[in-house]
Amino acid sequence: MSVIAEENVRGGSVFKEINADDEDSQPTEIESLCMNCYQNGMTRILLTKIPFFKEIIVSSFTCPNCSWSNTEIQSAGRIQDQGITYTLNVKSKQDMNREVVKADSATTRIPELDFEIPPYTQKGSLSTIEGLLDRAVAGLEQDQPLRNETAPEVAVKISEFIDKLKKLKEGESGFTLVIDDPSGNSFVENPFAPQTDEALSVCNYTRTPQQDAQLGIKVLTFNTNCPECNAPASTNMKLVQIPHFKEVIIMATNCDDCGHRTNEVKSGGATEELGTKITLHLTDVSDMSRDLLKSETCSILIPELEFELGMAAVGGKFTTLEGLLKDIKDLIVSKNPFTCGDSSTSDRTEKLKLFGQKIDKIMAGDMDVHIVLDDPAGNSYLQNIYAPDPDPEMTTEKYTRTFEQNEDLGLNDMKTEGYQK
C-alpha cells in the first residue's frame, strides 16, 4: 500500500498547506541517481494543496556533483472528465505574481506575439506568470551561441523575440495568456477567490478522440448484455502497452441495472512460441506493489505453502502482486462454498483460515516465500523494478510446451499454413 493510500485509510491526509513552521509540511528527501553525471543527488518531494484547486506533488532534484537540477509537478488526482482553458488578460505587474500550475499536457499561448509552447515539450511546473516567461526566455537563450555560429539570421530574429518576452515580463504592455490543458489539471490563480475574476476566463470543454489518445485514455465502448441479469450494458475496451513487455487488452463491463461488474485482461498478441515461468523471491514488502499481468492461461504456485492455483481458477488480470494475493485469499477463504453451510467442517474451515493468515503474512512482508507464474502461452508478466537491468530476485525461464499443454491451448489442431486447401 502506498504512503498516500495508507494515510487516507487512517483518516488523515498527507497533503498539507505549505507552512514553513509546520514540520509535516516540509519536503521528504530521497537520495537518487543524477541522470546527468550518474552520481547520487537529492530529490525533495512535497505533497501540498493549492487553495481552490486540488492536491499536487512537487518534486525537485539537485546534484551537488555537477550542479544539475530539475523541478516538476504532477497532479495527485486523476485526469479530469473535461479539458480546461484559462484565458487571462495580464494588465499589471501584480498579475505577474499569480500562481500557475502548468501540466506537461498543457499548451501555453501568447496570441499577441504569436507565441506557443506545445504540449509535452516541458515538464509540469508550479510557478508564476513571471516564472513562465523566465522559463520560456531561458529555453530560447539556451541554444543561441550555437545559432550565432550556424544560423546567425535565425539567431537575430530569436534575440528580437526574446526582447519582446522580457518587455512583457517588465509590464511595459498588457498581453493575453492562454493555457489549454485537455487533462484538466492545469490552474491559474484567482486572487479574488471565491469571488469572480474579471480578468480571468475559465472554460471547460469535451476532449476530442485525438486528445484522449494523446493522454493515453482512449477507450472503445460497445453495447452488450449483462452476464448476470441480461440487461443492456456497455463494455469498455482499451489497448495498453506494458513497458518491457507487450500490448494487452483491458476490458470492463458495468451493469447499471444490477450493479454487476467484470473486468478481464487478454494479450494483444499471438501465443508465444515458448512458455514462460516467472519465479520471484519475496524479500521486501515493497514487492507487493509490482505490476503483474496474469493471463487466463497462467497457473500460480507458492511452493512454501504447497499451493497451486490452476489456469482456469482466476481469469486474466492486470493488477499488483498484492492485488493478486488478495484475490487468491478471497477465492480460497472468503468465497469458498465449502466453508459455509452443510458442506463445511470445523477441520476444513480451520485449515482455510490458517491459509488466509499465511497470505496476510506474505502481504505484510513477514514470510519468506517464492511466487511462481507458469504460463504455457507465454503471455504473463511480472514487473522488473530494475529494468532494463536484470532483477536479482526474479528469474524468467522459457520452455517448450508439452503435447498436453498445446492440447489445452488448442494448438495441436490449429492450422495456420495452407488452410485454404
Side-chain angles (χ1 to χ4, degrees), residues 56-168:
I56 62 169
I57 302 172
V58 183
S59 63
S60 174
F61 175 82
T62 55
C63 178
N65 303 290
C66 67
S67 300
W68 189 73
S69 62
N70 179 44
T71 302
E72 63 180 277
I73 68 108
Q74 295 178 348
S75 171
R78 60 180 180 84
I79 293 175
Q80 304 304 305
D81 294 333
Q82 291 183 310
I84 195 166
T85 300
Y86 291 91
T87 304
L88 175 67
N89 293 320
V90 182
K91 301 177 181 178
S92 64
K93 188 68 175 177
Q94 287 75 19
D95 286 332
M96 303 298 291
N97 295 324
R98 291 180 186 239
E99 284 190 349
V100 177
V101 174
K102 190 184 84 67
D104 53 4
S105 57
T107 300
T108 305
R109 294 193 296 270
I110 301 177
E112 289 84 354
L113 298 184
D114 197 22
F115 175 67
E116 178 177 306
I117 302 175
Y120 302 107
T121 57
Q122 294 180 345
K123 292 288 187 180
S125 62
L126 170 61
S127 181
T128 61
I129 295 176
E130 183 178 8
L132 281 182
L133 295 178
D134 282 336
R135 192 176 185 186
V137 169
L140 291 172
E141 288 181 334
Q142 183 177 5
D143 294 327
Q144 278 296 81
L146 179 61
R147 293 190 192 100
N148 286 325
E149 295 292 332
T150 59
E153 294 181 358
V154 175
V156 170
K157 291 181 180 179
I158 291 180
S159 181
E160 293 174 353
F161 190 84
I162 290 173
D163 290 338
K164 292 179 181 179
L165 286 175
K166 288 181 177 178
K167 288 180 180 179
L168 292 183

Side-chain angles (χ1 to χ4, degrees), residues 1 287-290 292 314 317-330 359 363:
M1 182 179 292
D287 288 327
M288 292 296 106
S289 63
R290 291 181 185 241
L292 179 147
V314 179
K317 287 183 176 293
F318 185 38
T319 180
T320 61
L321 188 55
E322 181 181 24
L324 179 67
L325 290 173
K326 285 183 177 179
D327 287 340
I328 290 174
K329 180 182 175 182
D330 288 342
I359 294 293
M363 290 190 289

Side-chain angles (χ1 to χ4, degrees), residues 237-272:
M237 182 173 69
K238 178 174 173 52
L239 191 65
V240 177
Q241 175 67 47
I242 298 179
H244 307 288
F245 188 52
K246 61 174 68 176
E247 289 183 332
V248 298
I249 300 172
I250 300 178
M251 296 184 293
T253 302
N254 298 326
C255 178
D256 294 332
D257 282 33
C258 69
H260 179 72
R261 295 185 177 185
T262 62
N263 62 78
E264 190 174 359
V265 176
K266 292 185 178 293
S267 170
T271 300
E272 297 292 320

Side-chain angles (χ1 to χ4, degrees), residues 280-288 290 321 362 365-370 385-386 391-394:
L280 174 67
H281 180 205
L282 298 182
T283 58
D284 190 84
V285 69
S286 62
D287 288 327
M288 292 296 106
R290 291 181 185 241
L321 188 55
I362 295 174
D366 296 333
M367 195 170 182
D368 189 353
V369 298
H370 293 76
I385 58 177
Y386 298 91
D391 189 328
E393 302 300 335
M394 187 169 73

